[in-house]
């Protein structure tokens, strides 16, 4: 006798849900890394803009000063926007991690139920075998006493 098909189906559903939430978590983590990488690039871009500006000041080059200033300001604006996006991505990661852990727990609970059902079935089978052996032994004893 096998554990109920319902428990097996529920376990399969929980496994799929866990896998989906894991994929969603990995996607959120990848997005967070992309935003952090872009933020790092904007920091570097702002530094380049400041160096161009400084070189323009040293060499009295108005075009370099303006280009450096524009580059630095654009990078700072983009970095401010990316910082907001990073916080949003961090929240998404936290939410998806929580969901993943919840789904993982649900799957483990069903696994525990399934293991318990298997254990009960095995114990019942063992008991029935023992009863059968006891009955056989009693019958054998009676036959020996009759002969």
């Amino acid at each position: 006798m096998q554990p109920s098909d319902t428990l097996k189906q529920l376990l399969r559903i929980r496994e799929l849900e866990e896998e989906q939430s894991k994929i969603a978590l990995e996607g959120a983590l990848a997005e967070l890394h992309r935003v952090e990488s872009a933020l790092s690039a904007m920091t570097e871009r702002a530094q380049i803009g400041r160096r161009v500006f400084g070189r323009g000041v040293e060499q009295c080059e108005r075009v370099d000063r303006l280009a450096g200033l524009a580059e630095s300001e654009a990078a700072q604006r983009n970095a401010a926007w990316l910082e907001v996006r990073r916080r949003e991505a961090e929240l998404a990661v936290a939410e998806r991690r929580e969901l993943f852990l919840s789904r993982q727990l649900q799957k483990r609970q069903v696994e525990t139920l399934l293991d318990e059902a298997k254990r009960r079935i095995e114990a019942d089978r063992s008991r029935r075998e023992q009863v059968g052996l006891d009955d056989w032994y009693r019958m054998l004893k009676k036959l020996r006493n009759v002969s």
Side-chain angles (χ1 to χ4, degrees):
M1 184 181 214
Q2 292 293 326
S4 78
D5 289 337
T6 306
L7 274 179
K8 289 179 184 178
Q9 289 172 349
L10 182 59
L11 178 60
R12 182 67 183 136
I13 290 168
R14 294 294 187 235
E15 287 171 342
L16 292 172
E17 288 175 341
E18 178 188 20
E19 185 62 28
Q20 286 176 340
S21 62
K22 180 180 180 183
I23 291 168
L25 174 59
E26 289 169 350
L29 283 168
E31 175 64 16
L32 177 60
H33 292 303
R34 279 191 296 274
V35 170
E36 288 175 338
S37 178
L39 192 55
S40 177
M42 284 306 119
T43 302
E44 188 175 318
R45 184 176 164 194
Q47 290 173 349
I48 291 170
R50 285 191 293 274
R51 282 195 298 264
V52 169
F53 177 79
R55 195 171 46 241
V57 168
E58 289 173 2
Q59 297 174 357
C60 296
E61 289 290 327
R62 183 170 190 222
V63 173
D64 284 349
R65 282 191 314 236
L66 291 175
L69 187 59
E71 185 70 19
S72 181
E73 287 175 352
Q76 288 173 349
R77 280 192 309 275
N78 287 339
W81 178 82
L82 285 168
E83 188 60 39
V84 170
R85 184 65 194 108
R86 184 180 64 81
R87 285 192 294 272
E88 291 171 352
E90 286 173 342
L91 287 173
V93 166
E95 289 171 1
R96 286 181 177 83
R97 182 174 286 126
E98 187 66 32
L99 181 61
F100 171 70
L101 293 173
S102 171
R103 296 277 168 87
Q104 196 175 46
L105 177 63
Q106 291 171 354
K107 183 191 83 166
R108 287 183 180 160
Q109 289 171 336
V110 174
E111 286 174 335
T112 300
L113 289 173
L114 197 54
D115 289 345
E116 182 61 26
K118 288 177 182 177
R119 189 198 59 74
R120 271 188 267 119
I121 289 168
E122 182 58 30
D124 288 345
R125 186 191 61 75
S126 180
R127 240 180 272 115
R128 282 193 306 276
E129 284 178 3
Q130 188 60 46
V131 167
L133 285 173
D134 290 347
D135 290 345
W136 175 80
Y137 183 73
R138 269 189 240 107
M139 182 179 72
L140 188 62
K141 221 173 158 184
K142 284 182 184 178
L143 288 175
R144 286 188 182 165
N145 287 341
V146 171
S147 319

